[in-house]
Amino acid sequence: MIRLYVSSVIEGSADNVWARIRDFNGLPQWHPGIADSRIENGEPSDRVGCIRHFHTRDGGTIRERLLALSDFDFTQTYEILESPMGVEHYVATLKLTPVTDGNRCFAEWSAEFDCDDGREQELTRTIADGVFQGGFDALKRLYR
């Protein structure tokens, strides 16, 4: 099992950043790698169990299910159902923690997954740098 962890400090309050990232269907509004997204079957995007179907800017199609959402803890956990990346049993959590010294928040994105032997480094780099850090960098630009 591969375990990834990426963290960053964003110059926006946890409340403000959470308001932007809370929407499970809202990735295209803040993540530069996502072209479009929709929630299947017209379900609300904050209903645990809803499935988002989205396209990456490079043409990939991904389906993910929301497993948990907490406005109290500023967390959302989801699993990948279908993806061209070649990951299995992929579960990730995006979490914000208020930083009391200033109007900032500590952002954490972690994941666990399985993959074919020999692909560990490639997928770790793609997900940690491209997806997680790429998302954090975009949020940091929004909250400068």
Side-chain angles (χ1 to χ4, degrees), residues 35-143:
D36 61 64
S37 179
R38 69 177 174 83
I39 299 294
E40 295 181 1
N41 302 319
E43 292 189 71
S45 63
D46 61 354
R47 178 175 290 160
V48 171
C50 74
I51 297 171
R52 69 178 166 198
H53 182 124
F54 65 93
H55 297 95
T56 59
R57 295 217 181 269
D58 65 5
T61 299
I62 300 175
R63 293 178 67 238
E64 297 174 335
R65 180 189 333 267
L66 182 63
L67 298 176
L69 181 73
S70 172
D71 291 326
F72 180 78
D73 293 320
F74 301 116
T75 62
Q76 66 175 231
T77 300
Y78 60 93
E79 67 179 334
I80 290 180
L81 302 174
E82 296 175 28
S83 164
M85 290 188 294
V87 295
E88 294 183 5
H89 311 111
Y90 181 105
V91 175
T93 298
L94 178 55
K95 176 179 177 43
L96 301 177
T97 302
V99 173
T100 60
D101 180 20
N103 194 31
R104 300 177 288 169
C105 65
F106 182 67
E108 301 170 89
W109 209 337
S110 59
E112 292 184 350
F113 61 90
D114 293 318
C115 65
D116 290 340
D117 289 341
R119 296 208 57 216
E120 297 93 340
Q121 286 186 336
E122 169 202 355
L123 287 169
T124 295
R125 199 170 42 254
T126 297
I127 296 167
D129 297 342
V131 179
F132 295 178
Q133 190 62 53
F136 287 158
D137 290 346
L139 287 168
K140 286 159 77 167
R141 285 190 296 274
L142 289 169
Y143 291 95

Side-chain angles (χ1 to χ4, degrees), residues 10-22 96 105 139 143:
I10 299 170
E11 297 294 328
S13 71
D15 287 326
N16 287 341
V17 176
W18 182 245
R20 181 170 295 273
I21 68 172
R22 179 191 188 276
L96 301 177
C105 65
L139 287 168
Y143 291 95

